[in-house]
Amino acid sequence: MEQPSPGFALRCANVSKTFAVQREQRVWRILLGMDRDGGGPVVEALRDISLTVPRGKIVGVLGRNGAGKSTLLRLLGQVYTPTTGRIEINGQVAGLFELGGMGNPNLTGREYATRYLQFMGVAGDSVADILEDIADFSELGDAFDQRIRTYSSGMASRLYFAVATAYQHEIYLIDELLSVGDEHFQAKCWRRMRERLLGGASGVLVTHDWTAIVKLCEQACVIDEGRFSFVGSSDSAVVRYLDLRVPPAEAARFPDTIPTEFVLRSGEDSVIRLPVEVLDDVAVDLAISVEMLRIGVGWEIVILSEYYPVADTAGNYTVEFRIPALPLAPGKYSLNLFLAQRPLPGMRPKAGLDCRSWTYGNGLTLRVEGKPFPAAVTLPFTVRPIPAEAV
Ligand SMILES: Nc1ncnc2c1ncn2[C@@H]1O[C@H](COP(=O)(O)OP(=O)(O)OP(=O)(O)O)[C@@H](O)[C@H]1O
């Protein structure tokens, strides 16, 4: 009887990876039988990592330099074997890492691509089409039929990325998605990865770019010195990763009574009233932003105001924002508020006094109700065809 396919694409349980530290003369000591047990100093690159990637989802791993991201990806890609723990993979894997160091440099680009497709079991008429797509996507021109050893590192990376993403795999292991090639090529990579991921692929994205995590992943982990210090929703992972400290709220603050959600209607004249407590005689300014944070889809700052003066002396204030014909589409937005001390003329930057922002983990929600329209923002433009003779 056929086994039901599991609901996860990839899973690792309690995985650790230890490397022996390469010491001078260690090889000789081992060869001479003086270091038989292989004992000696080790680096624990990963410790007790457990991770499940559901089918059709990309799980993000955010970490600073040296945190263990590449080691994790190499373990998942079976370049390394774990020192302890278990890894299960259910599907064909495409590794988008170490793109600069793959392949036999004596092959031509075309030969490398052909062998890759053979190895992956791609056969029949589709091979010619896929090769054409690779030649086209990699923009190698005549160099596609020259040996890889004559390529620049950027050309080689373009080839390897084009080959690994030329057709839909089930699982992608992605290291720093946008680090291949120049800006033009990176934009192409991003577009292609979105197509593949929206096509139902699963995967792991390791990066220190938190905006990429917000755009592609619903779930993310933060890795710190080889351990997961956080596993959960991507926005919470980003908050944890950024680890921004909320300003002290000593001279001025938003009181605890501030609503956590505001509800407005799309297209209607709208008012947001914000309470502000100023505790010292300081000049206080306030700015707001409205951000569209759709995890796995994108992150955009839709409205970012300037700083407006609120007060010059201590007291309780109410600040009123009026937005005529609210141009936002119905949906949920993140509302972010910033209080700052007004700088003296010629001085920058403003000192933050208090904030409510999703990147600090204390943001507010703006819910916009009304009839949906196919964009985040609408502008009150009119459309009028002008006859040629009237122009
Ligand atoms: N082959 C190895 N031998 C010894 N130590 C290693 C080896 N590979 C990785 N390490 C160590 O393991 C730790 C994690 O390294 P890793 O390359 O996984 O980090 P990373 O998060 O990918 O860093 P970066 O963002 O800088 O690429 C580091 O301390 C590194 O020095």
Side-chain angles (χ1 to χ4, degrees):
M1 205 176 74
E2 205 177 294
Q3 291 293 315
S5 100
F8 62 88
L10 192 154
R11 184 158 75 180
C12 56
N14 311 105
V15 166
S16 299
K17 180 69 185 172
T18 303
F19 294 106
V21 174
Q22 297 298 316
R23 279 186 310 176
E24 226 179 306
Q25 298 183 340
R26 172 120 190 277
V27 174
W28 289 111
R29 288 172 64 82
I30 293 171
L31 288 176
L32 293 171
M34 294 161 64
D35 203 359
R36 259 179 235 148
D37 61 357
V42 294
V43 176
E44 265 194 302
L46 290 180
R47 282 177 285 171
D48 202 24
I49 295 288
S50 294
L51 171 74
T52 300
V53 178
R55 279 197 186 282
K57 302 280 180 204
I58 303 295
V59 173
V61 178
L62 261 172
R64 298 182 195 283
N65 284 348
K69 303 182 299 294
S70 304
T71 305
L72 176 62
L73 223 53
R74 287 178 194 153
L75 282 165
L76 298 175
Q78 295 172 309
V79 178
Y80 294 153
T81 44
T83 308
T84 58
R86 222 162 78 95
I87 296 177
E88 290 171 78
I89 292 171
N90 291 302
Q92 196 184 47
V93 175
L96 294 172
F97 54 98
E98 294 169 299
L99 287 171
M102 294 162 58
N104 174 352
N106 288 318
L107 300 177
T108 66
R110 186 183 300 279
E111 286 165 351
Y112 169 78
T114 308
R115 287 198 190 180
Y116 180 95
L117 295 176
Q118 275 168 355
F119 181 74
M120 288 292 178
V122 181
D125 298 343
S126 58
V127 172
D129 286 347
I130 296 176
L131 283 176
E132 202 181 312
D133 176 271
I134 293 169
D136 182 48
F137 189 91
S138 62
E139 300 175 13
L140 284 169
D142 293 343
F144 192 51
D145 287 301
Q146 287 157 16
R147 294 190 196 289
I148 295 172
R149 70 173 138 80
T150 65
Y151 290 8
S152 69
S153 64
M155 288 162 78
S157 299
R158 292 201 320 254
L159 171 72
Y160 298 135
F161 185 93
V163 169
T165 60
Y167 68 99
Q168 182 80 36
H169 285 79
E170 289 166 294
I171 302 171
Y172 288 93
L173 303 176
I174 313 160
D175 195 354
E176 302 295 0
L177 179 58
L178 295 175
S179 62
V180 180
D182 57 16
E183 255 176 47
H184 150 81
F185 198 77
Q186 286 181 7
K188 277 176 52 169
C189 293
W190 181 258
R191 214 162 42 237
R192 172 159 276 189
M193 279 319 299
R194 275 191 73 85
E195 277 165 28
R196 295 292 174 251
L197 302 178
L198 293 174
S202 318
V204 174
L205 165 65
V206 306
T207 182
H208 56 255
D209 174 7
W210 60 268
T211 62
I213 296 281
V214 167
K215 284 179 190 159
L216 286 176
C217 312
E218 287 171 26
Q219 296 286 309
C221 319
V222 179
I223 190 167
D224 205 359
E225 294 185 0
R227 279 181 189 279
F228 282 164
S229 56
F230 178 86
V231 178
S233 68
S234 288
D235 50 347
S236 304
V238 168
V239 168
R240 186 64 79 92
Y241 177 69
L242 293 177
D243 193 24
L244 301 174
R245 304 272 172 234
V246 179
E250 283 163 357
R253 66 183 178 216
F254 297 107
D256 292 341
T257 52
I258 195 166
T260 54
E261 181 173 285
F262 292 82
V263 181
L264 301 177
R265 281 199 71 78
S266 180
E268 292 185 1
D269 294 347
S270 306
V271 179
I272 296 175
R273 289 201 180 91
L274 303 169
V276 174
E277 283 176 17
V278 179
L279 306 156
D280 291 344
D281 286 336
V282 288
V284 176
D285 290 353
L286 180 145
I288 70 168
S289 75
V290 175
E291 302 179 17
M292 194 177 68
L293 186 63
R294 310 266 152 87
I295 298 296
V297 178
W299 167 61
E300 299 294 340
I301 299 178
V302 187
I303 296 173
L304 178 60
S305 83
E306 309 166 25
Y307 275 92
Y308 294 102
V310 169
D312 291 295
T313 51
N316 290 338
Y317 297 86
T318 299
V319 183
E320 189 174 87
F321 272 88
R322 288 189 166 270
I323 311 169
L326 184 72
L328 296 175
K332 197 173 136 198
Y333 298 84
S334 159
L335 177 65
N336 305 278
L337 313 173
F338 306 93
L339 283 180
Q341 184 163 358
R342 195 174 315 142
L344 294 170
M347 283 181 68
R348 292 176 72 89
K350 286 170 180 288
L353 297 175
D354 194 11
C355 69
R356 292 285 184 279
S357 166
W358 76 268
T359 50
Y360 287 77
N362 65 0
L364 310 176
T365 301
L366 172 63
R367 193 174 295 284
V368 178
E369 296 178 342
K371 207 162 135 251
F373 52 85
V377 176
T378 180
L379 297 174
F381 56 76
T382 56
V383 180
R384 183 172 68 94
I386 306 174
E389 60 278 11
V391 176

